Amino acid sequence: MISPKTISENIRYWREQRNYKQAYVANQAGISRRWYVSLENGIVIPKINHILAIAEVLNIEPELLFKKEQKIGKSLEEGDVEEKVKQAIRKALEKLL
């Protein structure tokens, strides 16, 4: 099982790889900066819609946020974002069922 800490660390990792500020990611993802900071600090647990929005802002595949070890992942081409989001939702639902 993936821990919330892993997700938080991965979100921070990818944000820093992109040289984005926390406020920028939060704003672009449609969430408050305060909540986003709590997320990166492992205080709150994101819902799937948060994961998908943050992954889109970071231009990464959502499943990268669930990996225990990060490697340089592929950025998404603009046309691939929608398909990758659909795939991530299916995978998340399969794990829940």
Side-chain angles (χ1 to χ4, degrees), residues 12 18 21 23 41 49 51 54 58 66 79-80:
R12 175 174 287 152
R18 302 293 185 253
K21 302 282 186 191
N41 289 324
N49 60 317
I51 294 290
I54 292 167
L58 297 174
F66 295 93
D80 294 337

Side-chain angles (χ1 to χ4, degrees), residues 17-33:
Q17 289 295 309
R18 302 293 185 253
N19 292 315
Y20 291 162
K21 302 282 186 191
Q22 290 175 328
Y24 173 80
V25 176
N27 184 51
Q28 294 298 307
I31 55 181
S32 75
R33 182 185 171 281

Side-chain angles (χ1 to χ4, degrees), residues 54-82:
I54 292 167
E56 186 171 352
V57 172
L58 297 174
N59 197 33
I60 60 170
E61 298 173 12
E63 55 266 20
L64 288 175
L65 299 177
F66 295 93
K67 290 190 174 189
K68 290 187 180 185
E69 290 183 28
Q70 287 297 328
K71 296 179 182 166
I72 300 302
K74 300 180 209 170
S75 291
L76 299 175
E77 295 297 321
E78 204 168 299
D80 294 337
V81 172
E82 186 175 331

Side-chain angles (χ1 to χ4, degrees), residues 4-5 8 34-46:
K5 182 179 177 185
S8 296
R34 185 178 201 174
W35 188 89
Y36 182 85
V37 170
S38 295
L39 171 63
E40 277 198 8
N41 289 324
I43 297 168
V44 297
I45 299 173

